[in-house]
Amino acid sequence: MGKISNQQVIQSLTLKFGDRISVPNEPFGLLTFETSVDHISEVLRSLKEDKELKFNYLTDITGIHFPEQELSMGVIYHLHSLSNNVRVRIKVFLDIKAPHIPTATSLWEGANWMERETFDFFGIIFDGHPNLLRILNVDDMTVFPMRREHPLEDPNRVDKKDYFFGR
Amino acid sequence: MSEVKIVEAPPGIEGSGFFATSMEKVVGLARSHSLWPLPFATSCCGIEFMATMGSHYDFARFGSERPSFSPRQADLLMVMGTIAKKMGPVLKQVYLQMAEPRWVIAVGACASSGGIFDTYSVMQGIDEIIPVDVYVPGCPPRPEAIIDGFNKIQELVKHESLRRRESQEYKELLGRYGIQ
């Protein structure tokens, strides 16, 4: 059991941000809300620096792609308050034509590689990042492989072609 | 004491005090029983190779007494495991550092064809970047299979023409991989 319950966090969040964040919900007990690209820096900073909540640990940054949505690229932050034993998940959705979002490296040094990874796989550009280069894939890769329009399988593979199996 | 086994002499003409055969066959015989392998082990096939190297399967009895961890003194490149695309240039450089004559064995499904990793980040078989002499199937292959593949390499070495590496055909093969 956490020292602070989700309800207390929700209360504090609504008080702080009002309509700058979506109504929080709790899928599988994990407090989740959305915000916009204009407010994400402020939201992260105030969650980290809040004297009560103390969301001081950045667990993860990752991306997601929902092609059917209007704002199809997503960036997801997981924050953890170590002293209060409570977690929160923040989602921001972006336009795929200009997937820009401010960096979190000024708040957490650890965001550096997470943002590089998210750039590497989803092509999300973190404005203000000190070194936004590919981190896991080969440097000369021209696509962002986790976007849905990119085929997961390697096109050079020949031994799984249908005609080998009479299809 | 167990009986010491000696390899059979190549076909030739024998008389009292002399034995005549072709240089090619003698060189092939010597090379095939002193292949120095370079283990390029990246995943579970490498674990099987460790078993192959160990006392139970005793890889050394085929003349591979010395696994060469420098490509410059190796004859046989043994690629065992998944080669990610990022590893490709490294593998190619290791191959380029080896002196001729050199042989390559792809051990396991991943090195041969990408195996179950049919994905954007994994090389779909090392023959996309370097020429391969023998493929060993299996996921991972048992030590027996690795030894069988090695024996196939030995047969290739034994019967290879001394001039093969100078031939136009061989140069074209390397040329297809962008190797001079």
Side-chain angles (χ1 to χ4, degrees):
Chain A
M1 286 296 288
K3 287 182 192 164
I4 284 190
S5 73
N6 281 353
Q7 296 314 315
Q8 284 169 278
V9 180
I10 289 174
Q11 232 169 32
S12 172
L13 285 174
T14 344
L15 206 67
K16 245 180 191 323
F17 303 117
D19 57 355
R20 281 170 292 177
I21 62 168
S22 72
V23 179
N25 56 2
E26 299 170 64
F28 300 98
L30 179 57
L31 187 58
T32 304
F33 64 90
E34 274 179 39
T35 183
S36 73
V37 65
D38 302 324
H39 298 127
I40 182 64
S41 288
E42 182 198 345
V43 168
L44 290 175
R45 180 176 296 281
S46 50
L47 282 176
K48 186 189 178 194
E49 290 170 359
D50 190 288
K51 294 280 183 299
E52 293 286 306
L53 300 173
K54 291 189 262 188
F55 280 101
N56 58 341
Y57 185 72
L58 176 68
T59 309
D60 194 21
I61 299 176
T62 187
I64 200 163
H65 186 202
F66 289 126
E68 69 278 6
Q69 284 186 15
E70 195 189 342
L71 295 176
S72 58
M73 298 306 299
V75 183
I76 296 153
Y77 299 82
H78 287 234
L79 302 188
H80 188 179
S81 172
L82 294 169
S83 43
N84 293 323
N85 193 11
V86 64
R87 293 170 190 269
V88 61
R89 176 167 59 186
I90 307 161
K91 296 181 180 180
V92 182
F93 285 96
L94 313 167
D95 188 352
I96 194 163
K97 292 191 195 87
H100 286 268
I101 191 167
T103 181
T105 47
S106 44
L107 291 172
W108 290 280
E109 288 294 332
N112 190 320
W113 283 11
M114 296 175 186
E115 290 183 351
R116 279 181 69 183
E117 187 193 19
T118 311
F119 165 72
D120 193 354
F121 284 93
F122 294 92
I124 288 158
I125 296 154
F126 291 88
D127 295 322
H129 190 285
N131 183 32
L132 197 63
L133 301 171
R134 287 193 184 271
I135 186 168
L136 291 168
N137 284 305
V138 282
D139 294 333
D140 53 3
M141 190 177 251
T142 52
V143 295
F144 300 113
M146 285 295 160
R147 288 191 180 182
R148 291 301 168 90
E149 73 260 20
H150 182 70
L152 187 66
E153 297 180 343
D154 191 296
N156 294 344
R157 184 79 174 231
V158 289
D159 62 340
K160 281 169 39 175
K161 294 272 188 262
D162 279 351
Y163 55 81
F164 285 122
F165 303 96
R167 291 192 289 244
Chain B
M1 284 287 285
S2 59
E3 193 189 338
V4 176
K5 284 186 183 161
I6 296 174
V7 289
E8 269 181 53
I13 300 159
E14 205 170 350
S16 61
F18 78 95
F19 175 73
T21 183
S22 67
M23 189 65 177
E24 207 165 83
K25 285 173 186 142
V26 178
V27 171
L29 182 76
R31 278 179 179 167
S32 71
H33 290 94
S34 63
L35 281 172
W36 285 2
L38 166 58
F40 195 95
T42 50
S43 43
C44 46
C45 290
I47 306 294
E48 293 299 306
F49 181 71
M50 292 171 205
T52 316
M53 293 285 298
S55 55
H56 190 86
Y57 290 96
D58 193 15
F59 202 46
R61 65 204 155 112
F62 303 104
S64 305
E65 197 71 76
R66 177 189 177 280
S68 180
F69 292 100
S70 156
R72 297 181 198 281
Q73 281 109 38
D75 307 300
L76 170 64
L77 178 60
M78 302 186 74
V79 183
M80 296 164 285
T82 320
I83 302 299
K85 281 187 180 151
K86 216 172 179 178
M87 192 58 122
V90 180
L91 180 63
K92 187 159 184 172
Q93 191 175 358
V94 167
Y95 180 76
L96 290 176
Q97 285 174 341
M98 290 170 68
E100 293 279 16
R102 55 192 165 182
W103 291 269
V104 177
I105 177 169
V107 174
C110 290
S112 305
S113 73
I116 61 167
F117 301 105
D118 185 3
T119 176
Y120 60 89
S121 60
V122 172
M123 185 90 61
Q124 301 299 301
I126 57 165
D127 50 12
E128 285 186 8
I129 49 162
I130 53 172
V132 176
D133 294 278
V134 169
Y135 299 85
V136 178
C139 186
R142 283 189 58 84
E144 289 91 334
I146 299 179
I147 289 172
D148 185 57
F150 186 78
N151 290 344
K152 296 270 191 299
I153 286 278
Q154 284 186 307
E155 285 307 306
L156 283 178
V157 174
K158 211 176 277 180
H159 298 112
E160 184 176 308
S161 152
L162 280 186
R163 295 185 188 279
R164 183 190 166 222
R165 308 276 160 173
E166 263 73 53
S167 70
Q168 195 57 36
E169 194 190 6
Y170 184 70
K171 286 197 176 119
E172 276 167 19
L173 171 74
L174 289 189
R176 281 212 297 280
Y177 289 97
I179 302 167
Q180 294 309 309

